[in-house]
């Protein structure tokens, strides 16, 4: 870009490509040391690296705080990165990668939303096993929630943000996450959660809207009467989804649903995305008297073999269910796995091996082992490295660096003073260059252009020739057409007048205009 900007500055003879590139590299080499020093030592300012403040939160997409059939399916079409994970302990298998975000416990017949839980005190995990430590880098989404693997066993620390762990184990920041944040967490993959839940909490997760989905309620009553235990009833509903004879289909483009959306999905269309299955399952559980709720987040991820980070994209958005059973507490149940087990077991984002590109003109191998995938992984690793080590150079990391260099006592005012002095020096240096710049007489510039044009015709002005001698030689040059020779002789005559006659400003301007007209005739 710098080379291109330099190239645009020339209006006459343009230097060679090598010379322009050398100039750009020279300017970059002059600026780089000062940039590194200012970036490292200058007081860090929180906020976006560029852009207006009101733009910092614009254009973000991600999970919503409500779930209506179709909104998560829209996310599945987005390839944007939601967050990246670096595991400190060995990474769990793909079927264990459930990234918890939002717990939805209220259903109005169409939309699942979140109501404040009856208790705000986060319960302690009982018999927490298979603890996994990891570091999560979350992209800006202008939402307050944070992500955690399965069940968080600790509250992360984020600079300038207060993080709360709610009673339904949802991590929430005090303010929306409008910039990239990085935090460390420990999660439990095997646990017992809230086995002694209060009746108020359980009642909140049993409510259903009145006069909605009558066929679903009749089906739930039949299952409840047929099976004696809650475990058997849960298994019966999962078998209902997984039975091939029932023709349930996992689809990103399901049919539109009406008022009784669960009835239409279970007994008519039978085509849906994860939110259809999770929502219908929870409604069936509540209709049978089993406390249940919907959890939305992400499932799976794609491991970058270059830097080892797990990339979780918006296309990994997912919804599942949690049911409460006596002595066992809340347990996760994913009905989508019964219909599309590949969605849960996959270890990479589903990408076709041969994918049309360039508007379908050609087909190219884009599988995990293809050359295009290798280039994509390397480019993503470079971007992630930039995010990890440059954009996340926070005030806290700067203080740690200054402490390691023994510069703890450098006050911000001192650094601002140094910046002011540097700016003054740059201004003074530029002023000296402008003052020392030689002003070129436009008449002499026109004379130089005339000599260059005639030199291209083999009639170069000799070093000792003045305008009059040069004119005399041109008058006998047979190589020049008569019109060009006449224009050149007239030009050199006016040039003598401009040099030696005492002309005022108006006369010089008129003469310069005449010289340019003559110059245009000499091609």
């Amino acid at each position: 870009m710098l080379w291109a900007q330099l190239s645009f500055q020339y209006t006459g003879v343009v230097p060679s490509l090598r010379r322009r590139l050398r100039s750009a590299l020279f300017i970059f080499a002059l600026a780089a040391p000062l940039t590194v020093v200012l970036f490292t030592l200058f007081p860090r300012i929180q906020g976006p690296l560029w852009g207006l403040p009101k733009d910092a939160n614009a254009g973000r997409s991600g999970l919503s705080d409500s779930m209506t059939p179709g909104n998560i399916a829209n996310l599945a079409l987005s390839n944007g990165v939601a967050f990246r994970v670096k595991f400190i302990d060995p990474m769990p298998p793909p079927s264990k990668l459930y990234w918890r975000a939002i717990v939805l416990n209220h259903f109005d017949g169409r939309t699942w939303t979140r109501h404040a839980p009856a208790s705000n005190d986060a319960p302690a995990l009982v018999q927490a096993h298979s603890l996994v430590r990891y570091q999560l880098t979350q992209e800006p989404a202008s939402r307050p929630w944070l992500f955690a693997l399965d069940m968080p066993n600790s509250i992360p620390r984020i600079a300038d943000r207060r993080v709360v762990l709610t009673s339904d184990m949802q991590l929430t920041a005090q303010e929306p996450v409008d910039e990239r944040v990085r935090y460390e967490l420990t999660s439990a993959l095997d646990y017992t959660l809230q086995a002694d839940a209060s009746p108020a909490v359980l009642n909140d997760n049993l409510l259903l809207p009145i006069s909605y989905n009558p066929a679903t309620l009749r089906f739930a009553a039949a299952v409840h009467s047929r099976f004696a235990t809650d475990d058997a009833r849960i298994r019966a509903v999962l078998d209902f989804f997984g039975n091939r004879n029932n023709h349930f289909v996992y689809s990103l483009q399901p049919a539109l649903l009406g008022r009784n959306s669960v009835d239409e999905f279970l007994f008519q269309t039978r085509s849906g995305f994860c939110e259809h299955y999770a929502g219908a399952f929870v409604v069936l559980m509540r209709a049978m008297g089993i406390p249940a709720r919907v959890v939305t987040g992400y499932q799976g991820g794609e491991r970058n073999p270059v830097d080892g980070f797990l990339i979780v994209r918006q296309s990994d958005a997912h919804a599942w269910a949690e049911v409460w059973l006596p002595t066992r507490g809340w347990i996760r149940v994913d009905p989508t796995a019964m219909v599309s087990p590949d969605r849960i077991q996959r270890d990479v984002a589903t990408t076709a091996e041969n994918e049309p590109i360039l508007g379908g003109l050609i087909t190219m191998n884009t599988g995990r082992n293809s050359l295009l995938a290798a280039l994509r992984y390397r480019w993503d690793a470079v971007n992630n490295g930039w995010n990890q080590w440059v954009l996340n150079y926070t005030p806290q990391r700067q203080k740690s660096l200054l402490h390691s260099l023994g510069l703890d006592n450098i006050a911000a005012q001192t650094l601002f003073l140094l910046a002011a002095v540097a700016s003054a020096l740059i201004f003074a240096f530029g002023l000296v260059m402008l003052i020392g710049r030689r002003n070129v007489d436009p008449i002499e510039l026109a004379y130089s252009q005339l000599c260059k044009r005639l030199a291209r015709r083999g009639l170069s002005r000799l070093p000792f020739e003045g305008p009059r001698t040069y004119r005399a030689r041109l008058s006998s040059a047979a190589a020049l057409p008569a019109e060009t020779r006449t224009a050149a002789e007239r030009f050199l005559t006016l040039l003598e007048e401009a040099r030696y006659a005492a002309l005022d400003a108006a006369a010089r301007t008129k003469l310069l205009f005449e010289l340019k007209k003559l110059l245009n005739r000499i091609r």
Side-chain angles (χ1 to χ4, degrees):
M1 290 178 65
L2 183 60
W3 167 81
Q5 290 175 341
L6 287 175
S7 301
F8 289 143
Q9 304 307 311
Y10 297 101
T11 56
V13 178
V14 179
S16 63
L17 172 64
R18 178 181 297 179
R19 182 177 172 186
R20 282 177 282 157
L21 185 59
R22 187 169 62 239
S23 299
L25 291 175
F26 180 70
I27 294 174
F28 179 81
L30 288 177
L34 180 62
T35 303
V36 172
V37 170
L38 289 177
F39 180 84
T40 305
L41 300 179
F42 197 81
R44 307 297 298 161
I45 300 174
Q46 292 284 17
L49 187 61
W50 52 70
L52 296 175
K54 67 183 180 66
D55 294 335
N57 303 332
R60 306 297 186 189
S61 64
L63 288 174
S64 173
D65 56 357
S66 63
M67 188 187 78
T68 302
N71 57 358
I72 295 183
N74 293 333
L75 276 183
L77 303 176
S78 171
N79 202 37
V81 176
F83 54 90
R84 291 179 170 88
V85 183
K86 180 180 181 181
F87 283 94
I88 301 174
D89 295 324
M91 187 177 78
S95 60
K96 296 285 187 178
L97 296 178
Y98 280 83
W99 304 96
R100 189 183 191 87
I102 310 164
V103 178
L104 307 175
N105 53 10
H106 178 73
F107 184 54
D108 63 1
R110 177 68 180 175
T111 302
W112 287 92
T113 55
R114 173 177 174 77
H115 276 195
S119 173
N120 291 325
D121 298 329
L125 296 179
V126 181
Q127 299 177 358
H129 302 294
S130 303
L131 296 179
V132 179
R133 296 170 300 164
Y134 53 96
Q135 185 183 79
L136 191 147
T137 304
Q138 183 172 329
E139 295 295 317
S142 301
R143 309 288 188 180
W145 40 81
L146 305 175
F147 305 107
L149 177 62
D150 210 335
M151 204 61 66
N153 197 36
S154 61
I155 299 178
R157 294 182 179 180
I158 303 177
D160 301 327
R161 292 181 188 275
R162 181 173 176 266
V163 181
V164 176
L165 180 60
T166 63
S167 60
D168 49 12
M169 306 303 287
Q170 176 177 316
L171 285 173
T172 306
Q174 196 173 25
E175 297 177 353
V177 181
D178 52 11
E179 60 185 359
R180 185 178 290 107
V181 295
R182 183 172 58 186
Y183 49 91
E184 293 186 359
L185 265 175
T186 301
S187 291
L189 302 184
D190 296 319
Y191 50 86
T192 301
L193 174 64
Q194 214 170 1
D196 56 349
S198 65
V201 172
L202 299 180
N203 289 334
D204 284 344
N205 293 279
L206 284 172
L207 300 177
L208 286 174
I210 300 175
S211 301
Y212 279 89
N213 305 302
T216 301
L217 299 182
R218 289 193 298 270
F219 176 74
V223 173
H224 184 274
S225 61
R226 181 179 177 187
F227 297 93
T229 64
D230 288 344
D231 283 328
R233 293 159 185 158
I234 293 172
R235 172 49 55 186
V237 173
L238 293 178
D239 290 341
F240 174 71
F241 285 132
N243 191 333
R244 293 185 178 181
N245 294 327
N246 292 331
H247 305 293
F248 279 99
V249 178
Y250 181 78
S251 173
L252 288 177
Q253 296 179 332
L256 296 178
L257 302 176
R259 181 180 186 275
N260 294 308
S261 58
V262 180
D263 279 359
E264 295 177 17
F265 166 66
L266 289 177
F267 307 110
Q268 296 179 25
T269 65
R270 297 192 174 184
S271 173
F273 197 53
C274 58
E275 67 260 42
H276 294 77
Y277 291 97
F281 179 84
V282 172
V283 170
L284 286 170
M285 292 298 104
R286 291 187 176 189
M288 289 188 287
I290 303 175
R293 60 195 184 189
V294 174
V295 182
T296 60
Y298 297 87
Q299 199 283 322
E302 178 183 9
R303 185 179 180 275
N304 189 332
V306 177
D307 58 8
F309 277 77
L310 182 76
I311 308 170
V312 180
R313 305 182 183 277
Q314 299 294 350
S315 56
D316 297 315
H318 194 53
W320 59 94
E322 285 183 345
V323 297
W324 186 90
L325 298 176
T327 71
R328 296 167 59 184
W330 292 101
I331 60 173
R332 181 181 66 244
V333 180
D334 190 353
T336 305
M338 302 301 298
V339 182
S340 177
D342 293 340
R343 167 65 182 86
I344 310 304
Q345 297 291 339
R346 64 180 182 177
D347 59 348
V348 295
T350 53
T351 304
E353 288 292 321
N354 295 294
E355 185 176 341
I357 61 175
L358 297 179
L361 295 179
I362 60 175
T363 301
M364 190 170 184
N365 183 7
T366 58
R368 184 177 177 85
N369 298 321
S370 66
L371 175 61
L372 190 63
L375 294 175
R376 179 168 59 89
Y377 286 136
R378 283 171 171 78
W379 179 246
D380 185 86
V382 170
N383 282 330
N384 185 43
W386 169 268
N387 293 336
Q388 296 293 329
W389 300 108
V390 180
L391 293 183
N392 277 334
Y393 182 60
T394 60
Q396 287 70 31
R397 293 184 63 186
Q398 185 184 55
K399 291 178 181 178
S400 300
L401 176 63
L402 294 178
H403 177 75
S404 63
L405 297 176
L407 301 176
D408 304 68
N409 297 325
I410 292 184
Q413 292 83 354
T414 304
L415 294 177
F416 278 112
L417 180 61
L418 290 175
V421 172
S423 300
L425 290 175
I426 294 174
F427 176 77
F429 180 71
L431 189 62
V432 169
M433 292 186 64
L434 289 176
I435 293 177
R437 182 179 179 182
R438 186 172 67 90
N439 293 325
V440 180
D441 186 352
I443 294 179
E444 292 297 325
L445 181 61
Y447 181 37
S448 174
Q449 293 177 350
L450 171 76
C451 294
K452 290 178 181 178
R453 295 183 182 183
L454 293 176
R456 295 193 188 102
R457 292 181 173 269
L459 295 170
S460 301
R461 184 179 67 85
L462 301 177
F464 57 84
E465 283 184 319
R468 181 174 297 183
T469 308
Y470 192 24
R471 183 184 61 199
R473 184 159 64 89
L474 292 177
S475 62
S476 59
L480 284 179
E483 182 180 1
T484 302
R485 184 168 56 249
T486 301
E489 291 176 356
R490 176 61 180 165
F491 184 100
L492 294 171
T493 300
L494 293 177
L495 179 66
E496 277 191 295
E497 180 180 348
R499 281 185 171 180
Y500 303 112
L503 302 177
D504 56 17
R508 284 182 62 85
T509 302
K510 182 178 179 181
L511 190 142
L512 177 62
F513 179 75
E514 183 68 22
L515 289 177
K516 289 182 177 180
K517 286 178 57 178
L518 294 169
L519 190 63
N520 289 333
R521 294 165 55 187
I522 303 171
R523 295 294 183 183

